[in-house]
Amino acid sequence: MMYHLPVLKNRRTLLERAEKFVSDVYFTDCNLRGRLYGDSCPLESIGFFLSAKRITFTEASKQSFDPYEVGSTFGPTWWTCWFKVTLKIPESWREKEVHLLWESDGEAMVWRDGQPVQGLTKEGEKTSYILSDCLKDEEPHSLTLFVEMACNGLFGAGQGSMIAAPDPNRKFSVQKAELVTFSRDVRVLLTDFEMLVDIVKELGEEDQRGYQALFTVNEMVNLCDPCDPSSFAKVHNLANTFFSQRNGDSQHTVYAMGHCHIDSAWLWPYEETIRKCGRSWVTVIRLMEKNPEFVFTCSQAQQFEWVKSWYPGLFSSIQQYVKKGQFIPVGGTWVEMDGNLPSGESMVRQFLQGQRFFNKEFGMQCKEFWLPDTFGYSAQLPQIMQGCGISSFLTQKLSWNLVNTFPHNTFFWEGLDGSKVLTHFPPGNSYGMMGKIEDLVNTVKNNKDKGRANHSAVLFGFGDGGGGPTQLMLDRLRLVEDTNGLPKVQMSTPDKLFTQLQADSALLCTWTGELFLEMHNGTYTTQAQIKRGNRQCETLLHDIEIASSLALCHGKAFPYPAEKLQELWRLLLLNQFHDVIPGSCIEMVVEDALKYYEDIRSSGAVLLRKACETLVPNGSSVAVFNSLPWERLEVIQTQDGSDKAGLALVRASSIGVSPVEDTPPVTPVSVTVQADGTVLMENGLLKTVINKNGTLASLYLISANRESVSDGCCGNQFVMFDDVPLYWDAWDVMDYHLQTRKPVVEVVQPVRVVSSGGLRGSVSFTLRISDKSTVTQEIVVDAMCPYIKFNTEVKWAESHKFLKVEFPVRVRSPNATYEIQFGHLQRPTHRNTSWDWARYEVWGHKWADLSEHNFGVSLLNDCKYGYSVHKNTMTLSLLRAPKAPDATADMGTHHFTYAIMPHTGSFQEASVIQCAYNLNFPLRLLQCSPETVPWSAFSVSSQAVILETVKQAEDKGGALVVRLYESFGSSVTATLSTTLPVREAWLCDLLEKQDPSHPLQVTSKGIALDFSPFQIVSLLLIM
């Protein structure tokens, strides 16, 4: 009787047998993995030298190198170690694939003949540089290479955990540096085995296809003799038979795109990012040379600009592969910015700078917005995208939601004004997949739009710290292009994916409003100095552009500082990257960011002064420049010091200049110290009683005969919370922090009068927050001003604490309103559903409002973004104290101002929006001649329409771009009046492309414009 092999039925033993056969840990003496590398040969010599700075190759190659012994350590963190490697390939390795094997705990770049040729990062599965695919006699056998190694890992150098503050004294080493022969046949078989094993695991015990894979892979182990390469062909054929069994027509299709998400700064400084881009992208180019079907998507114009400057040869290669359609710039923005905190105009400039860069360097514009990893998405983004030539959007961050699962992967996202963009969240919930079976199975399984959308993206490649795709990932995906039981896989471009999704979009759902991330809400507050720098620099650039535009029209000889403004804008946009403005970065990045803000402030002050000097003849009198499009009546300080002589009540023309002529107030401010030590301040509009501890006992709106502060409560109550998240320290504030509320009550200096009335009344006081921290505040009531200001200084030295200020108000409403980019939206003040509860800490810009019919209270600020309105308590988030990834985050002295404004009617009618602008855009003092008369360049007939921006057009010298938006949420016709010599007016998009079908009529009254709710309108004015 013939002997038959027994049929084995134990799934576990068969599966584990196959796993061990390709294991790099077990049985490598006799398994297939142990045959991946053949002969090895030491390098002839390795020399090294250390540099504290990141220097060029030219400079490095001239240094003297000391002998290096593999395994010896060097450092410290953030230094660079350069190696000079001489090698000689043995003659006996003819016809073999030869690699330089390099394993280290830093990130490295190989340089050959003065050019970067390969990135090497162990964490990114890149540990070898291919010297020859098949060694020929005529190839050079002796070479000198240089290896530039950064003393940091893929994710920086966190002490003890990835997001901990970096260890400044870490030592690094090279663990392996040798020549080896590499068996491509073994690599092919290992990929066959690995993919089959993963199919068994991922399809599970219920799937018969999984069992087919199990028995196939077991039979492959039976046939394969690792010591006998002649057995490999039969084994590969067996795998091939399995993989070539095809799918039906209805199978889900995966659009695979290479990806390498590189944070422009995070756990490493900006300058290291430049090298991360170089290492990652040169590796991508190497892969493209060998894989003509390989497509790689790449965002962030800033990173392309860095590579152009630091690696011009690599940039030229990238340009060639962009032309071939393989290297695909995506996103259209300068950086992958935060989606919440930048102003509306900043978001426009992200696209303007990004799209113009891509157009100039690559002759193309992006059609898709690409923002996989930011902490929420403003409801105005769809309109801004559409205005910048973008019709689709890709992200995946909402898969991180802590409370609610977002219900879609492919849908239309409708913004505040009704604009819609086709949106896709890759169902694999990652932007750094590996091309594994798990990624493909999860993509189908997690798709929440089954039956509506049958196409999904898979973004593969090492991300965050960079690195990008590997040859192995490409091999995996190629193997399963059309294999029964798995989705179909095709290498694709974003354009192909979105074109297909659009073609099949009939059944897609629509999501209206913001995409709120239910996580990372501490980022609205962390690193307060960065938030303040952002707001102040946005304001300054706004004012410089308006003043320079007026100066240009005033005297044609004025040189509009377009180049310098672009440089300053790009610095501001860089700091809006989604780990910088949120404050979720290391201390080195914070230092860089604050320096960039200082650069913007100092250069900007010079530009503003030059422009303003052109607007008025110089002299001994004082005028104010108002950059806002409405007349203002405000108390200003006309000289340093706080004595009365230095104050004036001025009337300032809209977008123009007005001499300071002291206007007497209708009602002067009165300040009265009462018998119980409280202070009463009144200005004819408001009457407030301030307790000795600085809280408001009363805030009375005189015209309405209404008290604003809740019964038995006090306004301006500072409160402290314990702030210990689950993991993401700088990022997260958890819901449970609300259970740890402690009012700040210890008085160091009780309320005392600083200004005794007339144009300004003010009092100051100091509270002790803890034995380490204090808050000192000046409460200011100005003549004719509808709000009370709180000028605040906090000396802050806390650990895992959160400081907020509360205003319990006499208003009942189920919703509060928050300013966002170019508009506002409402969020609930109750916690009925899990979606409501998840909004316990939310973001907003310059103001938030809580109103019932005919009465409300607004909370204004000059540099804060975190809010909470629960029931009738309005809370502004002030300071946090996380310890990772920056152990010193927010320590030190902080200055900020907020204001409280009770009002009758709606916040729209009460000019809350205008008041918040006034608080943020100070009137700027100029020297002028005594004969100066007030003049205004622009005004708008409707209070609902805000003229946000006036700047020189990018491509038309002498023409201006004017941007307006409807701020109330109403349909309105408004007239833009101007005293400038406008010959023609045209509508244009946000990229300043003129719409030739829409000339606008310029009459003596101005230009009439129609607005729908929250619509952004841009005009091109030809002088």
Side-chain angles (χ1 to χ4, degrees):
M1 188 175 80
M2 278 183 68
Y3 176 73
H4 287 285
L5 286 172
V7 177
L8 301 177
K9 293 186 179 178
N10 188 322
R11 182 176 180 274
R12 182 186 159 183
T13 58
L14 296 192
L15 178 57
E16 259 194 61
R17 179 196 190 199
E19 286 180 306
K20 295 294 193 296
F21 192 68
V22 293
S23 169
D24 56 2
V25 178
Y26 302 102
F27 308 116
T28 52
D29 61 322
C30 59
N31 75 3
L32 186 62
R33 174 75 61 172
R35 300 293 181 275
L36 186 58
Y37 294 105
D39 299 331
S40 66
C41 166
L43 303 177
E44 288 212 317
S45 70
I46 310 181
F48 82 111
F49 93 93
L50 282 160
S51 166
K53 291 186 173 169
R54 298 170 180 91
I55 60 174
T56 63
F57 170 81
T58 308
E59 194 180 333
S61 61
K62 291 174 186 163
Q63 306 298 315
S64 56
F65 289 75
D66 296 323
Y68 176 76
E69 195 176 317
V70 171
S72 55
T73 60
F74 49 84
T77 314
W78 307 124
W79 282 46
T80 299
C81 191
W82 282 85
F83 296 91
K84 187 175 184 178
V85 174
T86 60
L87 58 89
K88 188 169 185 186
I89 305 170
E91 299 287 339
S92 59
W93 288 6
R94 188 182 294 114
E95 306 291 320
K96 292 187 175 176
E97 186 169 332
V98 181
H99 291 196
L100 166 64
L101 200 59
W102 184 278
E103 289 187 14
S104 68
D105 42 15
E107 294 188 277
M109 171 82 95
V110 182
W111 292 79
R112 182 172 179 173
D113 303 327
Q115 290 299 317
V117 290
Q118 174 71 46
L120 295 172
T121 311
K122 194 174 179 180
E123 296 157 287
E125 294 182 7
K126 295 173 187 70
T127 53
S128 62
Y129 168 53
I130 301 174
L131 293 163
S132 174
D133 291 321
C134 181
L135 187 66
K136 300 280 189 289
D137 288 342
E138 61 270 20
E139 289 185 77
H141 284 48
S142 295
L143 287 173
T144 299
L145 302 173
F146 290 84
V147 179
E148 173 192 17
M149 191 179 130
C151 293
N152 54 263
L154 198 60
F155 295 99
Q159 193 158 14
S161 84
M162 181 181 80
I163 64 161
D167 174 358
N169 301 308
R170 186 181 286 187
K171 293 290 186 187
F172 294 79
S173 69
V174 178
Q175 296 95 42
K176 216 177 249 186
E178 61 187 10
L179 297 181
V180 293
T181 60
F182 179 84
S183 171
R184 188 59 59 184
D185 289 344
V186 170
R187 176 69 271 171
V188 167
L189 272 192
L190 286 171
T191 308
D192 289 343
F193 272 101
E194 173 207 305
M195 295 294 271
L196 282 161
V197 164
D198 284 355
I199 287 171
V200 177
K201 287 157 124 174
E202 292 301 323
L203 296 189
E205 297 190 42
E206 287 75 43
D207 194 295
Q208 68 103 20
R209 187 71 172 142
Y211 275 98
Q212 288 175 357
L214 178 67
F215 291 119
T216 300
V217 79
N218 185 62
E219 188 57 27
M220 286 165 63
V221 179
N222 290 336
L223 286 177
C224 187
D225 180 354
C227 300
D228 179 11
S230 69
S231 70
F232 294 176
K234 272 189 287 184
V235 179
H236 181 59
N237 287 340
L238 206 54
N240 205 36
T241 302
F242 178 90
F243 288 122
S244 57
Q245 290 172 326
R246 301 295 175 220
N247 271 301
D249 293 341
S250 68
Q251 182 58 279
H252 192 89
T253 302
V254 160
Y255 289 67
M257 305 169 208
H259 191 237
C260 176
H261 178 70
I262 302 179
D263 288 315
S264 289
W266 179 28
L267 303 174
W268 53 86
Y270 283 127
E271 209 175 63
E272 191 55 47
T273 306
I274 301 173
R275 299 201 295 188
K276 283 177 177 285
C277 293
R279 289 188 284 263
S280 303
W281 297 357
V282 78
T283 305
V284 163
I285 296 296
R286 292 291 85 79
L287 287 172
M288 286 179 176
E289 289 166 355
K290 295 186 174 179
N291 303 271
E293 81 289 0
F294 172 41
V295 169
F296 179 73
T297 55
C298 194
S299 65
Q300 308 194 71
Q302 170 70 85
Q303 294 183 3
F304 283 92
E305 209 238 2
W306 280 333
V307 167
K308 183 185 179 187
S309 169
W310 280 49
Y311 306 102
L314 171 58
F315 190 75
S316 296
S317 297
I318 289 169
Q319 285 178 312
Q320 288 167 22
Y321 280 98
V322 169
K323 272 188 195 150
K324 288 181 181 177
Q326 285 183 261
F327 202 113
I328 300 185
V330 292
T333 49
W334 189 246
V335 294
E336 287 188 10
M337 72 281 196
D338 181 81
N340 301 325
L341 308 183
S343 70
E345 190 58 35
S346 287
M347 285 189 166
V348 170
R349 300 307 174 92
Q350 286 284 355
F351 287 101
L352 182 70
Q353 290 296 329
Q355 292 283 49
R356 286 178 65 79
F357 180 89
F358 290 138
N359 198 27
K360 181 181 169 213
E361 300 296 341
F362 305 117
M364 53 83 71
Q365 283 188 350
C366 303
K367 294 190 209 166
E368 63 293 300
F369 183 34
W370 197 270
L371 197 54
D373 181 34
T374 201
F375 313 145
Y377 304 87
S378 163
Q380 268 293 27
L381 272 168
Q383 183 179 187
I384 293 170
M385 283 184 233
Q386 284 202 340
C388 297
I390 281 174
S391 54
S392 46
F393 172 44
L394 181 142
T395 184
Q396 63 82 50
K397 197 66 178 185
L398 262 66
S399 66
W400 284 47
N401 272 5
L402 267 185
V403 183
N404 299 286
T405 301
F406 192 79
H408 301 296
N409 287 99
T410 304
F411 59 100
F412 286 104
W413 178 23
E414 182 176 83
L416 202 58
D417 72 314
S419 297
K420 282 186 183 182
V421 288
L422 178 58
T423 300
H424 182 65
F425 297 176
N429 296 337
S430 169
Y431 48 73
M433 297 190 227
M434 304 289 181
K436 290 191 160 190
I437 298 299
E438 174 190 15
D439 301 330
L440 303 177
V441 170
N442 284 343
T443 292
V444 178
K445 190 165 72 181
N446 297 346
N447 178 21
K448 299 186 195 75
D449 297 281
K450 293 181 180 78
R452 289 190 291 266
N454 205 26
H455 304 83
S456 299
V458 160
L459 309 181
F460 65 94
F462 286 94
D464 290 328
T470 63
Q471 184 63 53
L472 178 55
M473 294 176 193
L474 290 167
D475 293 343
R476 286 170 182 154
L477 291 167
R478 197 178 285 132
L479 201 56
V480 291
E481 278 177 356
D482 190 0
T483 292
N484 186 23
L486 299 173
K488 294 178 183 176
V489 178
Q490 63 179 64
M491 196 63 69
S492 177
T493 64
D495 191 37
K496 280 185 192 162
L497 169 70
F498 282 111
T499 300
Q500 188 61 58
L501 290 174
Q502 185 68 53
D504 298 343
S505 63
L507 297 175
L508 293 183
C509 301
T510 297
W511 179 273
T512 300
E514 68 181 327
L515 295 171
F516 185 87
L517 179 66
E518 296 173 357
M519 202 183 189
H520 292 358
N521 7 23
T523 60
Y524 318 147
T525 306
T526 305
Q527 299 287 11
Q529 301 286 21
I530 288 181
K531 309 310 198 246
R532 184 169 186 250
N534 179 71
R535 184 80 65 85
Q536 289 182 346
C537 291
E538 286 177 336
T539 300
L540 177 58
L541 291 176
H542 167 275
D543 287 6
I544 295 166
E545 287 183 334
I546 289 185
S548 300
S549 298
L550 301 192
L552 186 67
C553 298
H554 211 256
K556 295 287 182 191
F558 175 79
Y560 188 93
E563 211 168 291
K564 190 65 184 174
L565 273 167
Q566 173 172 280
E567 183 189 313
L568 299 184
W569 263 112
R570 284 180 170 183
L571 281 181
L572 179 66
L573 299 177
L574 173 57
N575 275 352
Q576 290 173 350
F577 178 74
H578 66 248
D579 278 307
V580 179
I581 192 174
S584 48
C585 50
I586 61 171
E587 186 179 6
M588 290 171 88
V589 179
V590 176
E591 288 166 359
D592 282 346
L594 296 180
K595 182 188 171 297
Y596 290 162
Y597 291 132
E598 207 36 63
D599 292 347
I600 296 168
R601 285 189 189 105
S602 56
S603 298
V606 174
L607 297 182
L608 186 60
R609 192 180 69 246
K610 282 183 180 168
C612 287
E613 282 168 359
T614 310
L615 298 181
V616 286
N618 203 4
S620 57
S621 292
V622 180
V624 289
F625 168 60
N626 174 20
S627 67
L628 297 178
W630 46 80
E631 190 180 85
R632 293 161 73 173
L633 185 62
E634 278 179 35
V635 175
I636 60 159
Q637 211 161 307
T638 55
Q639 62 189 60
D640 289 332
S642 56
D643 56 294
K644 275 189 190 170
L647 296 177
L649 180 63
V650 307
R651 193 175 292 279
S653 307
S654 73
I655 305 193
V657 174
S658 308
V660 172
E661 292 164 356
D662 203 359
T663 313
V666 175
T667 309
V669 180
S670 66
V671 179
T672 312
V673 181
Q674 304 188 112
D676 60 359
T678 61
V679 177
L680 171 68
M681 291 201 283
E682 193 170 346
N683 71 352
L685 304 172
L686 301 170
K687 184 164 69 175
T688 186
V689 176
I690 300 159
N691 292 320
K692 286 191 279 189
N693 64 1
T695 58
L696 303 190
S698 168
L699 175 57
Y700 199 76
L701 184 60
I702 294 169
S703 65
N705 211 14
R706 286 278 300 251
E707 173 59 56
S708 304
V709 178
S710 281
D711 281 342
C713 297
C714 292
N716 199 40
Q717 175 68 65
F718 289 102
V719 283
M720 283 278 274
F721 298 85
D722 295 340
D723 185 15
V724 185
L726 298 173
Y727 176 72
W728 297 101
D729 201 353
W731 293 259
D732 284 347
V733 55
M734 311 309 297
D735 51 2
Y736 52 75
H737 86 284
L738 295 168
Q739 298 187 321
T740 66
R741 176 184 178 276
K742 292 181 190 69
V744 176
V745 293
E746 189 181 342
V747 179
V748 176
Q749 163 72 56
V751 158
R752 61 186 177 84
V753 175
V754 177
S755 296
S756 54
L759 290 180
R760 173 169 290 168
S762 70
V763 299
S764 80
F765 63 95
T766 301
L767 302 178
R768 181 169 282 112
I769 295 169
S770 72
D771 56 355
K772 301 189 212 75
S773 306
T774 58
V775 56
T776 299
Q777 194 168 64
E778 184 183 17
I779 302 178
V780 179
V781 175
D782 278 345
M784 312 295 290
C785 184
Y787 52 82
I788 295 177
K789 279 191 294 191
F790 301 84
N791 297 331
T792 314
E793 178 185 271
V794 179
K795 291 182 174 163
W796 184 248
E798 298 299 315
S799 178
H800 291 115
K801 299 290 180 189
F802 200 153
L803 178 67
K804 306 184 186 185
V805 65
E806 293 176 348
F807 289 89
V809 296
R810 245 180 242 196
V811 176
R812 179 168 176 80
S813 175
N815 292 298
T817 307
Y818 302 83
E819 187 194 37
I820 66 162
Q821 298 81 359
F822 298 125
H824 58 262
L825 49 73
Q826 294 193 320
R827 300 186 183 108
T829 58
H830 56 76
R831 294 177 180 161
N832 283 355
T833 69
S834 58
W835 294 87
D836 304 330
W837 172 252
R839 285 165 164 74
Y840 54 85
E841 177 81 7
V842 298
W843 64 273
H845 283 198
K846 299 184 290 292
W847 58 269
D849 179 79
L850 186 64
S851 288
E852 59 190 45
H853 177 65
N854 214 29
F855 180 77
V857 179
S858 292
L859 189 49
L860 323 178
N861 77 80
D862 73 345
C863 61
K864 298 297 171 190
Y865 295 91
Y867 295 88
S868 158
V869 181
H870 183 227
K871 296 185 177 174
N872 66 323
T873 299
M874 306 182 77
T875 307
L876 186 66
S877 297
L878 303 176
L879 292 168
R880 293 186 72 221
K883 299 300 167 192
D886 175 7
T888 65
D890 283 314
M891 298 299 99
T893 302
H894 297 269
H895 295 98
F896 49 86
T897 295
Y898 55 87
I900 193 82
M901 180 176 168
H903 59 83
T904 54
S906 68
F907 68 83
Q908 291 99 325
E909 296 156 347
S911 300
V912 165
I913 299 168
Q914 284 75 8
C915 287
Y917 268 91
N918 293 350
L919 184 69
N920 280 269
F921 291 78
L923 294 169
R924 300 194 185 264
L925 292 172
L926 321 174
Q927 294 298 121
C928 70
S929 72
E931 297 80 46
T932 303
V933 293
W935 62 271
S936 161
F938 288 100
S939 61
V940 186
S941 63
S942 167
Q943 200 189 356
V945 173
I946 291 179
L947 195 164
E948 178 71 20
T949 302
V950 181
K951 67 182 282 290
Q952 181 178 260
E954 295 289 326
D955 297 317
K956 289 189 170 71
L960 297 183
V961 167
V962 173
R963 190 156 13 262
L964 310 98
Y965 73 96
E966 197 290 319
S967 68
F968 283 10
S970 61
S971 295
V972 67
T973 298
T975 301
L976 172 67
S977 302
T978 181
T979 55
L980 303 182
V982 177
R983 287 189 295 112
E984 297 172 35
W986 299 83
L987 288 176
C988 64
D989 66 10
L990 298 179
L991 300 180
E992 304 183 9
K993 187 179 167 194
Q994 185 175 328
D995 180 352
S997 63
H998 281 86
L1000 296 165
Q1001 209 172 355
V1002 184
T1003 68
S1004 57
K1005 288 183 179 174
I1007 303 162
L1009 299 165
D1010 292 329
F1011 289 82
S1012 55
F1014 303 116
Q1015 185 182 358
I1016 306 163
V1017 171
S1018 300
L1019 309 179
L1020 195 59
L1021 304 184
I1022 316 287
M1023 300 299 154

